[in-house]
Amino acid sequence: MKRAIALAAAFALVSCETVLPEGLSFARPRGQAPVPGTIIDTVPTGATLAHPDGECLTPCRVDYGRVVTVTVGKTGYKALDVTIPLGAKDTVLELTPVGRSTPVETETLPLP
């Protein structure tokens, strides 16, 4: 009977496990075991997330057991400083483009 209860409890834990996106990178303190973290993604994806112990590309799971401030940036977009509190929910940050956001018409280019 005890074995059946233990198996049921183990199955319940496995079935509740969060499935992480494939190719997810991690931001965590060096030499520390992972803690439940927050997944940060960006629009557009593939931005650099600079954290106190290095960098990762979004989507990136931030595994710190404390409040941490990170910088998110991508070439052609304004960088963001973001403070991630303990227990923060997964989030998607929309990056703001800098410079031209519409295609250049070939008719407006000067002739060589």
Side-chain angles (χ1 to χ4, degrees):
M1 180 68 174
K2 287 182 182 180
R3 182 182 168 126
I5 292 172
L7 286 174
F11 178 77
L13 287 174
V14 171
S15 64
C16 294
E17 189 173 306
T18 301
V19 178
L20 299 174
E22 189 175 323
L24 184 70
S25 54
F26 294 88
R28 66 173 57 120
R30 287 184 174 80
Q32 226 179 22
V35 295
T38 302
I39 297 175
I40 305 294
D41 201 356
T42 55
V43 175
T45 193
T48 300
L49 185 144
H51 55 91
D53 294 288
E55 296 179 344
C56 58
L57 294 178
T58 60
C60 180
R61 191 170 101 183
V62 180
D63 292 342
Y64 280 84
R66 59 182 167 84
V67 174
V68 65
T69 299
V70 300
T71 301
V72 181
K74 186 170 183 155
T75 302
Y77 295 86
K78 184 177 178 184
L80 298 172
D81 289 325
V82 180
T83 299
I84 303 171
L86 288 173
K89 294 182 180 180
D90 297 349
T91 191
V92 176
L93 303 171
E94 189 164 342
L95 301 179
T96 305
V98 293
R100 185 178 294 278
S101 61
T102 57
V104 175
E105 298 294 329
T106 55
E107 298 86 41
T108 63
L109 295 176
L111 296 173

